[in-house]
Amino acid sequence: MPKAQDGILIECDESIKAIILKIDRENSNRFIIEDIDDTHALVKKERHEELKDLLKAQLADSIREPEDSSDSD
């Protein structure tokens, strides 16, 4: 008999979805219940906050801060 799981439907653009799928793969598929399409996935409710934190960290690592180009000589 199938078991029901609490989940949260997330919607995001394709680039963010690719990062989420990568995080899920790297963590032994702990987050995603169902990969629905290019912009939607069903995520385990109890893992949603952890996934958000990992995604924020991944984005922070990949986004560079603009360099200060002002020369105050």
Side-chain angles (χ1 to χ4, degrees), residues 63-70:
I63 297 175
R64 292 186 186 184
E65 291 293 321
E67 293 183 17
D68 186 13
S69 62
S70 63

Side-chain angles (χ1 to χ4, degrees), residues 9-53:
L9 180 65
I10 60 168
E11 180 180 19
C12 54
D13 64 32
E14 293 176 19
S15 61
I16 298 297
K17 176 81 179 290
I19 297 170
I20 290 171
L21 291 174
K22 179 179 179 270
I23 291 169
D24 189 55
R25 278 192 311 272
E26 292 172 349
N27 289 278
S28 304
N29 302 314
R30 293 186 342 200
F31 301 103
I32 296 177
I33 298 170
E34 185 71 33
D35 181 8
I36 298 171
D37 61 23
D38 290 341
T39 58
H40 296 87
L42 189 60
V43 174
K44 294 176 184 173
K45 185 176 180 179
E46 68 274 6
R47 299 276 187 197
H48 181 249
E49 289 300 319
E50 181 182 356
L51 178 60
K52 281 177 35 179
D53 292 342

